[in-house]
Amino acid sequence: MPTILITGASRGIGLESARQYAADGWTVLACCRTPDTASELKAIGGVSVHALDVTDIGAVDRLARSIDQPVDVLMNNAGQNMRPPRGLGDMNYAAWSNLFAVNTLAPFKMIEAFQDHLRRSDRKIVLNVSSVMGSITDTSGGHVAYRSTKAALNMVTKVLAGDLAGDGIIVFSIHPGWVRTDMGGPSAAISPEQSAAGMKKVVESAGAGSNGRFFDWKGDTIAW
Amino acid sequence: MKTLLITGANRGLGFDFTRRMAETGWHIHACCRAPVQADGLQALAVKHDVTIHALDVADFSQIDALKTKLGDEPIDVLFNNAGIMETNQRTLSLDHTNQMFDSLDEDEWMAVMRVNTMAPLRMCEVFVDNVVASDRKQILMMSSIVGSIGSNQTPRWYHYGTSKTALNMVMRNLAADLKDRGISVVSLHPGWTQTDMGGPTAALSIDESVGGLFKVVETLTPNDSGRFIAWNGDDVPW
């Protein structure tokens, strides 16, 4: 069976994705910062749980060295928002730097560290969980820090798609929808189940034409 | 009298833009890291209404200090021009192997983000009231097609490219946030130009690039706010 590695798998979309891939018989490598408190994740049968802070470069390298098997799908799902959102007049620059580290640099590092695992696999798919809020075309005011980190992540997706195309690796950004998670809040439009199921379909139908693109959870293209 | 506040004014595109504005009679606050070494700018200040300020935009306390110096003086055009490819411009070749795939340098990437993405927002935070108090009310961001996700000519420089993509997002946010205060904000793409950053084999002379940018800026209207405009007036894809 194929293998998926998911970051930020202890809750929300990551947790639900772990559930759905495990239910389909995939090997699931689930990463989260504190496995000790990830009781819902550990309750899923057949999932191997790994402690990982994605901003800890050394820890990412150590995890990659410790996993000796192909990774068919790398789901860069771990991400953060700035709470409260700040903008012109009250920006917190240290928090913004931290947001770049989590949302932009960490997915890049994960791909560097797991590139050989991907090459050895059959599917060779990377999905960077981005957000429609990273669409420069559609942006309105507010949430400048979060938006900028996701726009930068989309650029990472685009450049990686060119760099790795020769290896047959497919990289795309995906907007999970506005989901009822800790980040999305209780009044969001869709459930984690709907979002994860939608993204799973997009992964199943991914091909060379998906490389370097930006989709939503239904598979529709989002403008940069 | 119209006033320009520009960062990175000592060389390349910033210097030539400053020179043209000075020659048309603008009052200019020209910022650079090391005024003592800025011979061209010093010479310009002898003949024209140019005041030189020491400013490393990565050091936000220096931005605050500049605000103390300028007070409430109206600023017609704030040009966030300063930008870096890397913290130490090590070579004039365009390899930039320190920001290719397989060589993540987190500190270097964050340093480029700070200068190219965060400092322009900090400049806007600090000087927005000065811009509001002016006639023109324009904020310019020196971006680059290297930050265009939709363009397929993108060189593979992760640090520089993502920093300019993020800057374009900052620009779009400001354009939306500052619309009600009458401020126009745009990103500019100068073309691949024969500067220290672009190298001697680049397609455009500084004169061609800045001549084009000068025209673009001269004819900007509030309707242009939120655009990403190339030196020749074309829109650049996001």
Side-chain angles (χ1 to χ4, degrees):
Chain A
M1 283 306 285
T3 296
I4 184 169
L5 189 153
I6 304 170
T7 62
S10 60
R11 54 185 178 155
I13 296 159
L15 174 65
E16 181 55 30
S17 294
R19 266 195 203 114
Q20 293 189 12
Y21 279 98
D24 276 7
W26 284 52
T27 300
V28 178
L29 310 173
C31 305
C32 63
R33 279 178 290 182
T34 49
D36 283 354
T37 58
S39 51
E40 287 179 280
L41 180 60
K42 287 188 290 189
I44 306 170
V47 171
S48 71
V49 180
H50 302 269
L52 181 68
D53 175 346
V54 292
T55 62
D56 183 341
I57 306 289
V60 171
D61 282 331
R62 284 193 297 278
L63 180 67
R65 281 196 298 271
S66 75
I67 293 174
D68 182 24
Q69 63 165 100
V71 172
D72 290 87
V73 178
L74 169 58
M75 183 175 181
N76 279 313
N77 167 72
Q80 280 178 14
N81 201 343
M82 190 180 280
R83 293 290 165 89
R86 290 166 182 268
L88 197 75
D90 68 350
M91 177 51 66
N92 179 334
Y93 290 90
W96 193 2
S97 295
N98 183 54
L99 218 55
F100 270 125
V102 177
N103 292 352
T104 311
L105 273 63
F108 178 83
K109 176 61 196 177
M110 286 294 294
I111 296 163
E112 279 192 350
F114 285 93
Q115 56 180 298
D116 288 335
H117 303 74
L118 286 159
R119 284 195 191 95
R120 286 163 58 195
S121 78
D122 295 328
R123 306 207 183 192
K124 304 181 177 63
I125 293 171
V126 179
L127 64 158
N128 291 326
V129 178
S130 183
S131 168
V132 72
M133 289 177 74
S135 167
I136 306 175
T137 308
D138 290 341
T139 192
S140 53
H143 297 276
V144 63
Y146 181 76
R147 288 180 189 277
S148 70
T149 62
K150 292 300 192 182
L153 174 62
N154 289 343
M155 180 53 118
V156 167
T157 293
K158 181 65 186 284
V159 185
L160 276 170
D163 279 352
L164 300 178
D167 297 325
I169 295 175
I170 297 159
V171 190
F172 55 89
S173 283
I174 194 156
H175 164 57
W178 183 28
V179 189
R180 293 188 289 273
T181 59
D182 290 349
M183 190 188 284
S187 56
I190 60 172
S191 67
E193 290 81 2
Q194 288 172 292
S195 172
M199 290 195 290
K200 193 158 170 291
K201 267 192 197 157
V202 176
V203 168
E204 276 159 14
S205 63
S210 313
N211 198 25
R213 304 271 301 276
F214 184 16
F215 302 108
D216 71 6
W217 61 286
K218 292 176 289 190
D220 294 332
T221 295
I222 299 180
W224 299 119
Chain B
M1 187 184 63
K2 297 274 188 283
T3 299
L4 165 71
L5 169 59
I6 181 169
T7 61
N10 59 311
R11 57 179 177 159
L13 305 171
F15 175 70
D16 202 57
F17 191 86
T18 301
R19 180 185 61 77
R20 284 169 191 262
M21 297 289 269
E23 287 170 356
T24 55
W26 279 57
H27 170 54
I28 297 174
H29 293 292
C31 306
C32 62
R33 280 179 286 186
V36 178
Q37 295 161 30
D39 296 339
L41 213 45
Q42 301 280 4
L44 202 61
V46 173
K47 286 192 284 182
H48 299 286
D49 187 5
V50 176
T51 308
I52 304 170
H53 303 276
L55 176 65
D56 178 348
V57 295
D59 179 352
F60 293 173
S61 69
Q62 293 186 26
I63 297 177
D64 295 339
L66 181 64
K67 169 67 181 173
T68 304
K69 270 165 85 178
L70 301 189
D72 297 330
E73 182 181 335
I75 294 169
D76 291 89
V77 177
L78 166 59
F79 194 166
N80 287 302
N81 166 73
I84 57 171
M85 177 68 71
E86 52 200 21
T87 51
N88 294 303
Q89 191 81 33
R90 272 163 285 197
T91 165
L92 284 180
S93 87
L94 297 173
D95 294 341
H96 303 301
T97 49
N98 67 322
Q99 49 182 307
M100 306 292 270
F101 184 66
D102 244 354
S103 60
L104 174 65
D105 182 339
E106 194 182 19
D107 293 341
E108 179 69 22
W109 197 339
M110 292 309 302
V112 172
M113 286 290 195
R114 187 168 176 87
V115 172
N116 292 0
T117 311
M118 298 187 195
L121 185 74
R122 184 61 194 162
M123 287 292 292
C124 293
E125 283 193 300
V126 170
F127 291 106
V128 64
D129 291 339
N130 302 68
V131 177
V132 168
S134 76
D135 293 330
R136 288 264 188 125
K137 300 183 178 58
Q138 290 172 352
I139 296 174
L140 314 175
M141 305 292 198
M142 188 60 96
S143 185
S144 167
I145 200 168
V146 179
S148 162
I149 314 174
S151 156
N152 286 314
Q153 312 161 12
T154 310
R156 295 144 61 199
W157 307 323
Y158 287 90
H159 306 172
Y160 186 76
T162 55
S163 75
K164 295 298 191 183
T165 308
L167 175 63
N168 288 340
M169 179 60 98
V170 169
M171 181 279 292
R172 292 282 280 179
N173 261 261
L174 289 174
D177 284 349
L178 296 174
K179 194 169 185 243
D180 292 346
R181 302 182 74 182
I183 295 182
S184 309
V185 195
V186 297
S187 284
L188 299 172
H189 164 55
W192 180 31
T193 309
Q194 293 149 16
T195 59
D196 290 349
M197 189 188 286
T201 59
L204 297 177
S205 68
I206 289 180
D207 200 52
E208 289 171 296
S209 169
V210 179
L213 291 174
F214 194 78
K215 257 189 225 157
V216 167
V217 173
E218 251 184 342
T219 56
L220 272 186
T221 74
N223 288 335
D224 295 313
S225 191
R227 284 179 64 196
F228 183 12
I229 312 171
W231 63 282
N232 59 3
D234 289 349
D235 281 290
V236 183
W238 299 120

